[in-house]
Amino acid sequence: MASVFGFIILCALGALRDADVSMVFGSVWRPDAQRYGILPMICATLQLSLSALALGWALALGCACFINGLGPRRAAAFLEGLIRLMTAVPTVVYSFVSVFLLVPLVRNHLGGTGLCWLSAATVLSLQILPSMTLVLDGAIKNAAAHVSLTCEALGLTASQTLARVVLPASKKALCSAAMLGFGRAAGDTLIPVMLAGNAVQYAKTPIDAMRTLTAHISLVTSSEVTGQAYSSLYIAGGILLAFSAAASLIIHRLRKGAEK
């Protein structure tokens, strides 16, 4: 892992040293005109990741609460099994099915091509949902094990215990799940490639197309092997590494704080 990180960092720094920084972080991507700006892709990565996280985290919290006392036992057990099954579903399956089901629905009701920010964010939220739900489920179960008897003695119901005691005690896990979801959303490739439209532009509305850094890396490597366009991949990889490293560092600090 150290060699992988070192390779990406060294290549990114080398590309930044040799390139015109103002051009690389510009808004225009036109290789035919020697313009290699990746700023729209950086913005698209943040937009898509954060919007998918907002939707996926809310769903994950709801699922975790449903599993841990808010839902009937059989329904909760079914949902828990379904969430665990979702962790084994390949990303390409979500994307492929969405091309034929979700994309036409967005196109017919909202306009555009259907390959847009909204489609990609919706499917990406489902892709990151299982991981966040399992993190939250483990944290809620662990916190409930320490306070359940006390709360029962005080006459609190299961929902009151969950809302007033367990969730406040699990706030670090809530943040950790969010950081994990953000890291996975920022690093996903197939969903942005297949559903986001891959237009190098600033997406101003949910039905606008966009291209993320991961999609950019995938598309350029399929058509280029040398040149400035290929060099931009190293910078894009360095930025993605920075996003992932920041999310991992926050998770690590939250866990250290929880242990103390």
Side-chain angles (χ1 to χ4, degrees), residues 39 111 127 158 226 254:
L39 186 58
Q127 196 270 335
T226 58
L254 288 172

Side-chain angles (χ1 to χ4, degrees), residues 27-256:
S27 300
V28 179
W29 175 264
R30 287 189 59 192
D32 59 319
Q34 303 299 308
R35 304 290 296 276
Y36 303 101
I38 63 171
L39 186 58
M41 304 170 210
I42 298 174
C43 293
T45 300
L46 291 173
Q47 285 178 283
L48 182 59
S49 301
L50 292 175
S51 57
L53 173 62
L55 179 57
W57 187 88
L59 290 173
L61 180 59
C63 290
C65 292
F66 188 87
I67 292 171
N68 289 278
L70 293 188
R73 286 189 176 182
R74 290 186 177 180
F78 173 79
L79 179 60
E80 184 175 8
L82 179 62
I83 292 294
R84 295 185 182 278
L85 177 63
M86 288 175 66
T87 61
V89 178
T91 305
V92 68
V93 174
Y94 289 112
S95 304
F96 184 74
V97 172
S98 299
V99 168
F100 295 99
L101 296 181
L102 178 62
V103 170
L105 188 66
V106 173
R107 181 171 60 243
N108 294 334
H109 289 81
L110 299 178
T113 64
L115 299 172
C116 59
W117 175 8
L118 176 62
S119 299
T122 301
V123 179
L124 191 57
S125 68
L126 294 179
Q127 196 270 335
I128 64 176
L129 172 67
S131 298
M132 292 192 294
T133 302
L134 294 178
V135 170
L136 293 174
D137 179 52
I140 290 173
K141 281 183 168 61
N142 182 60
H146 291 85
V147 301
S148 58
L149 290 178
T150 302
C151 292
E152 288 179 6
L154 293 173
L156 297 179
T157 64
S159 59
Q160 290 173 333
T161 299
L162 184 63
R164 299 181 182 181
V165 181
V166 174
L167 288 181
S170 305
K171 59 183 180 180
K172 293 185 182 298
L174 300 181
C175 295
S176 295
M179 290 300 100
L180 175 63
F182 173 78
R184 291 182 63 86
D188 190 85
T189 302
L190 275 177
I191 290 175
V193 167
M194 297 180 68
L195 299 176
N198 297 309
V200 183
Q201 62 182 8
Y202 295 105
K204 298 179 181 179
T205 68
I207 61 172
D208 286 342
M210 56 168 48
R211 180 190 290 190
T212 64
L213 289 171
T214 52
H216 172 66
I217 293 173
S218 175
L219 294 170
V220 172
T221 52
S222 66
S223 59
E224 300 282 346
V225 292
T226 58
Q228 186 65 40
Y230 199 78
S231 297
S232 70
L233 302 185
Y234 297 126
I235 301 174
I239 294 171
L240 286 172
L241 179 62
F243 287 162
S244 300
S248 299
L249 181 60
I250 293 173
I251 292 174
H252 178 70
R253 290 189 175 182
L254 288 172
R255 288 179 176 175
K256 284 292 185 181

